[in-house]
Amino acid sequence: MGAGKDEARAAAAQKPASVFISYARADHERVEQLALRLERAGHEVWWDRRIGGGAEFSREIETALQAADIVLVAWSRRSVGSHWVRDEAAAGRDSGRLLPVTLDGSPPPLGFRQFQTLDLSGSSGRQGGSEFDEVLEALGSPKASPVAPLETPGGKRGLRVGLGLSLAGALAVGAALYWPTPSEAVAPPQLEIAAVQSLSASVDPQLIPRLRQELRTALATDSAIAVVSPEAAGGSNARFGLTANVDRTSDAVKLAVELADRDSGTTLWSKIIELPASNPELVPRQAAYKVGTVVRCALSKRSKQLKPAALAQWASLCDELWSSQRPGAFDDSGAWHKSEARSKLLAAARKVTEAAPEFSEGWSALAMTAVPVLGQTPPADADALRKEAADAAERALRLDPQNGEAYAAKALLLPQQDYKGREALLKKSISLRPTDCVCQLVFYAQLLMSLGRVEEAYDNFRRVHEMRPLAPMGSNGMAQALFMLGRDQDAREVLSEARALWPDDHELKVMELRSSIWNRDYEAVLALLQDPRFKVPQPRRAPWRVGVQALKSGDAEQRQQAIKALVAASREAGRNNMVVISILAALDAKPEALDAARRFIVEQGTTGAAVLFEPTFAEIRQTPEFAQLVKQLGMSRYWASSRNAPDFCRQTEADFCRTA
């Protein structure tokens, strides 16, 4: 910042500030008390009691937002999911006027975590406690407190805001935290969001600025990419440019996206993304997530050093990887797990290593994409592929010892029952540089879940969600863990928020269905099975429906017929039979449920073992047959040798629990 701006802001700190409060409607009472106290302190406060955080932007709101000295954003569990609050927060952030607070301890969403957030969760807003005093000091203290180094999520050194920081100091520190610092030898790639424009009069005019802002937020969540505006880039300084042309049909919004290397004139990645027009308010954030995941994967301090042709190959692989993980990419068997999808990814990874043999991430990607292919490879060829994957992981680490993905690949290549070895490698992976998808954390959380360490799994899924709040995989994992821990209300809230953003995501729908079985809400299960948008063919739904109807009726004859149909379904190879197993357990068909679970785990691998710790298995876990199964799977040995007992051992006297 220039000296003139610093002096002006320092002078502003000596007088009452004009404060715009951005919040969610559900937090109305807390925000009202906060606004009243700010007004009593002499500040001019604008907050709209009628509109709150969820209504459409009006001219009055925009005028107040632009005129305010400070944009005070009240983050909470509800407001972090509000795109209106995020839009208002982004306006404050990008103009250097943001002052974030948290009402309930919830962290800000991605893109806003570089700023010190004042915690008001311990205050009702009515008391004169130190929490609110910090807000007043940040708004009006003429004297800035000292600042201390802060390790930001991107790994860069920043500044921590002191408790008594003045308005001028808060603004200056905020800018220092948000923009990348030149402390590392290799600067992050510069990307200009060059053009986001409408191709049709049918496109809502509000969509374009919101899409641009959401793209900026998704891409500039940390200092991995330096996102610059066309003005800041001088029209030509940024090496990389992103454009998006928006069109609309009767039932879809279409984005034609292109990522280009301007220095060479190479198109690195282009794609047409279609989103349902039925939920237009979701389109900007959904589009930003889909575009942002690929671009953030494609562009890094390391990949930007590739030659344009190799970088284009890498961007193509990123698109294939993320297309397999995006919402809507799954069907009842998991499209990502289909053999043709696996083989396509492996082939793309091999092309990257051929084009860029010194690129560590290319080799770790090759190792990772080989892992799922191993399960479909004939035994005669599996050894060669396993060696190729292991060699690729080792080469990735020779090129870059900080490549955490390579350690994750090594973990997944271990024999299925080597739980201790897998855990050690995944912990090492997490301790190093994370990948943009935070996949190492996901793998570790899944391993913990499959070993019955559900509370620890929840903590790791929560970290995934905090780092990538728009990604449904974190929300899905959090919800599953919370249901398994008996925290049903919290689980429903997490699932509801994720479904609000991704209403058509198959994995989230399956979680809703399974949790309804666990909670004996059979009407809800039957309603989901009637939903034509549920991506499960009717023949596959039939045994599920029979089983749930038997649960609902309690009829003994129906129960026997249902068990027979479900057992037959569980023996179909290549299918995701978690729902079948849940219904069998709910029907108290203990031997059948255990047998189906055993076959499922053998076929699916370690992560399939999470079914053993579902709520419907509570009674089954007390049986000798369960003890025998976990012994066969090597879990008893792991629990005893690692002294990491499963959570349910707190309520049982099983022999393996006493040993662990």
Side-chain angles (χ1 to χ4, degrees), residues 304-339:
K304 77 168 190 174
Q305 299 177 61
L306 298 175
K307 293 180 179 179
L311 184 53
Q313 292 276 14
W314 175 242
S316 176
L317 175 59
C318 287
D319 180 47
E320 294 288 345
L321 285 167
W322 278 104
S323 294
S324 68
Q325 298 178 43
R326 284 185 189 133
F330 293 81
D331 60 17
D332 68 305
S333 61
W336 149 236
H337 297 295
K338 289 182 177 177
S339 59

Coordinates of all heavy atoms in Angstrom, one line a residue, residues 304-339:
K304 N 4.2 -25.2 -14.0 CA 4.4 -24.0 -14.9 C 5.7 -24.1 -15.6 O 5.9 -23.4 -16.6 CB 4.2 -22.7 -14.1 CG 5.3 -22.3 -13.3 CD 5.2 -20.8 -12.8 CE 6.5 -20.3 -12.2 NZ 6.4 -18.9 -11.9
Q305 N 6.7 -24.9 -15.1 CA 8.0 -24.9 -15.7 C 8.0 -26.0 -16.8 O 9.0 -26.1 -17.5 CB 9.0 -25.3 -14.6 CG 9.1 -24.2 -13.5 CD 10.0 -24.6 -12.4 OE1 11.2 -24.8 -12.7 NE2 9.6 -24.7 -11.2
L306 N 6.9 -26.7 -17.0 CA 6.8 -27.6 -18.1 C 6.7 -26.9 -19.5 O 6.2 -25.8 -19.6 CB 5.6 -28.5 -18.0 CG 5.5 -29.4 -16.7 CD1 4.2 -30.1 -16.7 CD2 6.7 -30.4 -16.7
K307 N 7.1 -27.6 -20.5 CA 6.9 -27.0 -21.8 C 5.4 -27.1 -22.2 O 4.7 -27.9 -21.6 CB 7.7 -27.9 -22.9 CG 9.2 -27.7 -22.7 CD 10.0 -28.6 -23.8 CE 11.5 -28.4 -23.6 NZ 12.2 -29.2 -24.6
P308 N 5.0 -26.1 -23.0 CA 3.5 -26.0 -23.3 C 2.8 -27.4 -23.6 O 1.8 -27.7 -23.1 CB 3.4 -25.0 -24.4 CG 4.6 -24.2 -24.2 CD 5.7 -25.1 -23.7
A309 N 3.5 -28.2 -24.5 CA 2.8 -29.4 -24.9 C 2.7 -30.4 -23.7 O 1.7 -31.0 -23.6 CB 3.7 -30.1 -26.0
A310 N 3.7 -30.4 -22.9 CA 3.7 -31.3 -21.7 C 2.6 -30.8 -20.7 O 1.9 -31.5 -20.0 CB 5.0 -31.4 -21.0
L311 N 2.6 -29.5 -20.6 CA 1.6 -28.8 -19.6 C 0.2 -29.1 -20.1 O -0.7 -29.3 -19.3 CB 1.9 -27.3 -19.5 CG 1.0 -26.6 -18.5 CD1 1.1 -27.2 -17.1 CD2 1.5 -25.1 -18.5
A312 N 0.0 -29.1 -21.4 CA -1.3 -29.4 -21.9 C -1.7 -30.9 -21.6 O -2.9 -31.2 -21.3 CB -1.4 -29.2 -23.4
Q313 N -0.7 -31.8 -21.7 CA -1.0 -33.2 -21.3 C -1.3 -33.3 -19.9 O -2.2 -34.1 -19.5 CB 0.3 -34.0 -21.6 CG 0.6 -34.2 -23.1 CD -0.1 -35.4 -23.7 OE1 -1.1 -35.8 -23.2 NE2 0.3 -35.7 -24.9
W314 N -0.6 -32.6 -19.0 CA -0.9 -32.6 -17.6 C -2.3 -32.0 -17.3 O -3.0 -32.6 -16.5 CB 0.2 -31.8 -16.9 CG 0.0 -31.6 -15.4 CD1 -0.2 -30.4 -14.7 CD2 -0.1 -32.7 -14.4 NE1 -0.4 -30.7 -13.4 CE2 -0.3 -32.0 -13.2 CE3 0.0 -34.0 -14.5 CZ2 -0.4 -32.8 -12.0 CZ3 -0.1 -34.8 -13.3 CH2 -0.3 -34.1 -12.1
A315 N -2.7 -30.9 -18.0 CA -4.0 -30.3 -17.8 C -5.1 -31.3 -18.2 O -6.1 -31.4 -17.5 CB -4.1 -29.0 -18.5
S316 N -4.8 -32.1 -19.3 CA -5.8 -33.1 -19.7 C -6.0 -34.2 -18.7 O -7.1 -34.6 -18.4 CB -5.3 -33.7 -21.0 OG -6.2 -34.7 -21.5
L317 N -4.8 -34.6 -18.1 CA -4.9 -35.6 -17.0 C -5.7 -35.1 -15.8 O -6.5 -35.8 -15.2 CB -3.5 -36.1 -16.6 CG -3.4 -37.1 -15.4 CD1 -4.2 -38.3 -15.7 CD2 -2.0 -37.4 -15.1
C318 N -5.4 -33.8 -15.4 CA -6.2 -33.2 -14.3 C -7.7 -33.2 -14.6 O -8.5 -33.5 -13.7 CB -5.7 -31.8 -14.1 SG -4.0 -31.6 -13.4
D319 N -8.0 -32.9 -15.8 CA -9.4 -33.0 -16.2 C -10.0 -34.4 -16.0 O -11.1 -34.5 -15.5 CB -9.6 -32.4 -17.6 CG -11.1 -32.4 -18.0 OD1 -11.9 -32.0 -17.2 OD2 -11.4 -32.9 -19.1
E320 N -9.3 -35.4 -16.5 CA -9.8 -36.7 -16.4 C -9.9 -37.2 -14.9 O -10.9 -37.8 -14.5 CB -8.8 -37.7 -17.1 CG -8.8 -37.5 -18.6 CD -10.0 -38.0 -19.3 OE1 -10.8 -38.7 -18.7 OE2 -10.2 -37.7 -20.5
L321 N -8.9 -36.8 -14.1 CA -8.9 -37.2 -12.7 C -10.1 -36.5 -12.0 O -10.8 -37.2 -11.3 CB -7.6 -36.7 -12.0 CG -6.4 -37.6 -12.3 CD1 -5.1 -36.8 -11.9 CD2 -6.5 -38.9 -11.6
W322 N -10.3 -35.2 -12.2 CA -11.4 -34.5 -11.5 C -12.7 -34.9 -12.1 O -13.7 -34.9 -11.4 CB -11.1 -33.0 -11.5 CG -10.2 -32.6 -10.5 CD1 -8.9 -32.3 -10.6 CD2 -10.5 -32.6 -9.1 NE1 -8.3 -32.0 -9.3 CE2 -9.3 -32.2 -8.4 CE3 -11.6 -32.8 -8.3 CZ2 -9.2 -32.0 -7.0 CZ3 -11.6 -32.6 -6.9 CH2 -10.4 -32.2 -6.3
S323 N -12.8 -35.2 -13.4 CA -14.1 -35.6 -14.0 C -14.6 -36.9 -13.3 O -15.8 -37.1 -13.1 CB -14.0 -35.8 -15.5 OG -13.7 -34.6 -16.1
S324 N -13.6 -37.7 -12.9 CA -14.0 -39.0 -12.2 C -14.5 -38.8 -10.8 O -15.1 -39.6 -10.2 CB -12.8 -39.9 -12.2 OG -11.8 -39.5 -11.4
Q325 N -14.1 -37.6 -10.2 CA -14.5 -37.4 -8.8 C -15.6 -36.3 -8.6 O -16.0 -36.1 -7.5 CB -13.2 -36.9 -8.1 CG -12.1 -38.0 -8.1 CD -10.9 -37.5 -7.4 OE1 -10.9 -36.9 -6.3 NE2 -9.7 -37.8 -8.0
R326 N -15.9 -35.7 -9.7 CA -16.9 -34.6 -9.6 C -18.3 -35.1 -9.2 O -18.6 -36.2 -9.5 CB -17.0 -33.8 -10.9 CG -15.9 -32.9 -11.2 CD -16.2 -32.1 -12.4 NE -15.0 -31.4 -12.8 CZ -14.6 -31.3 -14.1 NH1 -15.2 -32.0 -15.0 NH2 -13.5 -30.6 -14.4
P327 N -19.1 -34.2 -8.6 CA -20.5 -34.6 -8.3 C -21.2 -35.0 -9.6 O -21.1 -34.4 -10.6 CB -21.1 -33.3 -7.8 CG -19.9 -32.6 -7.2 CD -18.8 -32.9 -8.1
G328 N -21.9 -36.1 -9.5 CA -22.6 -36.6 -10.7 C -21.8 -37.6 -11.5 O -22.3 -38.1 -12.5
A329 N -20.6 -37.9 -11.1 CA -19.7 -38.7 -11.9 C -19.9 -40.2 -11.6 O -19.3 -41.1 -12.2 CB -18.2 -38.4 -11.7
F330 N -20.8 -40.5 -10.6 CA -21.0 -41.9 -10.1 C -22.3 -42.4 -10.5 O -23.3 -41.7 -10.6 CB -20.8 -42.0 -8.6 CG -19.4 -41.6 -8.1 CD1 -19.0 -40.3 -8.0 CD2 -18.6 -42.7 -7.8 CE1 -17.7 -40.1 -7.5 CE2 -17.3 -42.4 -7.4 CZ -16.9 -41.1 -7.2
D331 N -22.4 -43.7 -10.7 CA -23.7 -44.4 -10.8 C -23.7 -45.4 -9.7 O -22.9 -45.4 -8.8 CB -24.0 -45.0 -12.2 CG -22.9 -46.0 -12.6 OD1 -22.2 -46.5 -11.7 OD2 -22.8 -46.3 -13.8
D332 N -24.6 -46.4 -9.8 CA -24.8 -47.3 -8.6 C -23.5 -48.2 -8.4 O -23.3 -48.7 -7.4 CB -26.0 -48.2 -8.8 CG -25.8 -49.2 -10.0 OD1 -25.6 -48.7 -11.1 OD2 -26.0 -50.4 -9.8
S333 N -22.8 -48.4 -9.5 CA -21.5 -49.2 -9.3 C -20.3 -48.3 -9.2 O -19.2 -48.8 -8.9 CB -21.4 -50.1 -10.5 OG -21.2 -49.3 -11.7
G334 N -20.5 -47.0 -9.4 CA -19.3 -46.1 -9.3 C -18.6 -46.0 -10.7 O -17.8 -46.8 -11.0
A335 N -19.0 -45.0 -11.5 CA -18.5 -44.9 -12.8 C -16.9 -44.7 -12.8 O -16.2 -45.2 -13.7 CB -19.1 -43.6 -13.5
W336 N -16.4 -44.1 -11.7 CA -15.0 -43.9 -11.6 C -14.3 -45.3 -11.5 O -13.2 -45.5 -11.8 CB -14.8 -43.1 -10.3 CG -13.5 -43.3 -9.5 CD1 -13.4 -43.6 -8.2 CD2 -12.1 -43.2 -10.0 NE1 -12.1 -43.7 -7.8 CE2 -11.3 -43.5 -8.9 CE3 -11.6 -43.0 -11.2 CZ2 -9.9 -43.5 -9.0 CZ3 -10.2 -42.9 -11.3 CH2 -9.4 -43.2 -10.2
H337 N -15.0 -46.3 -11.0 CA -14.4 -47.6 -10.8 C -14.6 -48.5 -12.1 O -14.2 -49.7 -12.0 CB -15.0 -48.3 -9.6 CG -14.7 -47.6 -8.3 ND1 -13.5 -47.4 -7.8 CD2 -15.5 -46.9 -7.5 CE1 -13.5 -46.7 -6.7 NE2 -14.7 -46.4 -6.5
K338 N -15.2 -48.1 -13.1 CA -15.4 -48.9 -14.3 C -14.0 -49.1 -15.0 O -13.2 -48.2 -15.0 CB -16.4 -48.2 -15.2 CG -17.8 -48.3 -14.7 CD -18.8 -47.7 -15.7 CE -20.2 -47.9 -15.2 NZ -21.2 -47.2 -16.1
S339 N -13.9 -50.2 -15.6 CA -12.5 -50.6 -16.1 C -12.1 -49.6 -17.2 O -10.9 -49.2 -17.2 CB -12.6 -52.0 -16.7 OG -13.6 -52.1 -17.7

